[in-house]
Amino acid sequence: MGYNIAIDGPAGAGKSTIAKQVAHKKGYIYVDTGAMYRGLAVYLLKNHILPEDTEGIIRACQDADVSIGYENGVQQVYLNGENITGRLREEAVGDMASKSSPIPEVREKLLMLQRTLAKEKDVVMDGRDIGTNILPDADVKVYLTASVETRAKRRYDELKAKGAACDIKQIAGDIKERDHRDMTRETAPLRQAEDAVLIDSSDMTIEEVTDAILKLCNS
Ligand code: DC
């Protein structure tokens, strides 16, 4: 069993930024589980399968092979052998991932991939149900959150920097909607594991959050 650090939390809390930093400092592998759900979502979009077509999504679970690899330490997602990493951050892909991930067959499909990685390697794994469901015996569990306002502002700045047109109220509304979906679904909803340490990053720098997690690893 590798050394396992589980980081869960809502969209936009900074999980991937922090998890990457922690993985880098520890020399561990960073596993972005959201990217796996996004990988399957790319398949659904490519094949024009709608989010409400549960049967179609379940069939897609058999036809879509989602796997991950690393190039220069950066996680890549492959869909039936094709590297589709460049598409993962598209808004439509995130939306489809959020709508298809509550389906138990979708979660079951990606569960083994996640557990096998954690068994074989020292990992920092982020997602929604890592501490509660995927790695209940993780060495360190963190629930990383931030206020809706902070998360909306971070996303707004990110989009603006890319030159994209955006409206902060709309972004905040989308974040609330996604939180609601992730937290109220029946299968593996987003919640803080009983033995997870809560970190609210609203008023913390990336370095402060990273250091707080590294301290947990040494305690
Ligand atoms: O973290 P992210 O935004 O890349 O995740 C995209 C969607 O995938 C998110 O809305 C919920 C889902 N997801 C999940 O259900 N379980 C995970 N462990 C990770 C992501």
Side-chain angles (χ1 to χ4, degrees), residues 6-8 125 128-138 140-142 191 193-196:
I7 304 181
D8 290 302
M125 187 176 283
R128 303 292 190 287
D129 63 337
I130 311 305
T132 50
N133 186 41
I134 303 293
L135 306 175
D137 299 324
V140 170
K141 292 185 190 177
V142 172
R191 62 176 177 81
E194 272 172 24
D195 51 351

Side-chain angles (χ1 to χ4, degrees), residues 7-12 15-16 30 32-38 88-89 93-102 106-107 114 125-130 134 178-179 181-182 185 187-188 190:
I7 304 181
D8 290 302
K15 295 186 299 296
S16 66
Y30 165 51
D32 172 1
T33 62
M36 300 176 187
Y37 289 93
R38 287 171 184 264
L88 298 181
R89 303 312 303 174
V93 171
D95 194 54
M96 179 60 101
S98 172
K99 287 178 177 159
S100 53
S101 58
V106 170
R107 308 204 70 79
Q114 295 166 14
M125 187 176 283
D126 77 6
R128 303 292 190 287
D129 63 337
I130 311 305
I134 303 293
R178 192 166 296 191
D179 282 359
R181 242 192 335 254
D182 291 350
R185 67 186 181 203
T187 317
L190 168 64

Side-chain angles (χ1 to χ4, degrees), residues 105-122:
E105 284 81 355
V106 170
R107 308 204 70 79
E108 191 62 31
K109 176 181 176 64
L110 299 174
L111 179 137
M112 279 314 288
L113 180 58
Q114 295 166 14
R115 284 201 180 139
T116 305
L117 278 164
K119 200 168 176 190
E120 291 172 350
K121 308 236 185 334
D122 295 329

Side-chain angles (χ1 to χ4, degrees), residues 3-183:
Y3 191 93
N4 294 165
I5 303 173
I7 304 181
D8 290 302
K15 295 186 299 296
S16 66
T17 306
I18 300 297
K20 273 184 209 156
Q21 293 273 333
V22 174
H24 180 70
K25 298 245 173 178
K26 298 289 288 182
Y28 293 178
I29 282 176
Y30 165 51
V31 183
D32 172 1
T33 62
M36 300 176 187
Y37 289 93
R38 287 171 184 264
L40 183 67
V42 170
Y43 181 91
L44 299 174
L45 290 168
K46 271 187 171 188
N47 288 278
H48 310 288
I49 299 170
L50 299 175
E52 44 281 353
D53 179 9
T54 305
E55 290 305 314
I57 295 176
I58 293 171
R59 265 197 310 278
C61 287
Q62 285 158 13
D63 300 334
D65 177 44
V66 177
S67 60
I68 73 164
Y70 289 85
E71 278 177 20
N72 301 321
V74 180
Q75 179 179 299
Q76 308 290 315
V77 176
Y78 303 91
L79 176 62
N80 293 337
E82 183 193 349
N83 188 335
I84 45 116
T85 312
R87 288 204 56 190
L88 298 181
R89 303 312 303 174
E90 289 171 18
E91 249 358 89
V93 171
D95 194 54
M96 179 60 101
S98 172
K99 287 178 177 159
S100 53
S101 58
I103 298 174
E105 284 81 355
V106 170
R107 308 204 70 79
E108 191 62 31
K109 176 181 176 64
L110 299 174
L111 179 137
M112 279 314 288
L113 180 58
Q114 295 166 14
R115 284 201 180 139
T116 305
L117 278 164
K119 200 168 176 190
E120 291 172 350
K121 308 236 185 334
D122 295 329
V123 297
V124 184
M125 187 176 283
D126 77 6
R128 303 292 190 287
D129 63 337
I130 311 305
T132 50
N133 186 41
I134 303 293
L135 306 175
D137 299 324
D139 299 275
V140 170
K141 292 185 190 177
V142 172
Y143 188 84
L144 182 64
T145 189
S147 68
V148 170
E149 293 70 30
T150 304
R151 291 188 278 142
K153 175 78 170 63
R154 286 178 187 161
R155 183 77 185 127
Y156 176 81
D157 290 345
E158 196 184 316
L159 288 169
K160 270 222 122 168
K162 284 187 193 157
C166 50
D167 170 45
I168 196 154
K169 278 207 184 113
Q170 160 105 44
I171 296 173
D174 289 348
I175 285 177
K176 278 190 201 156
E177 198 184 307
R178 192 166 296 191
D179 282 359
H180 181 74
R181 242 192 335 254
D182 291 350
M183 290 172 178

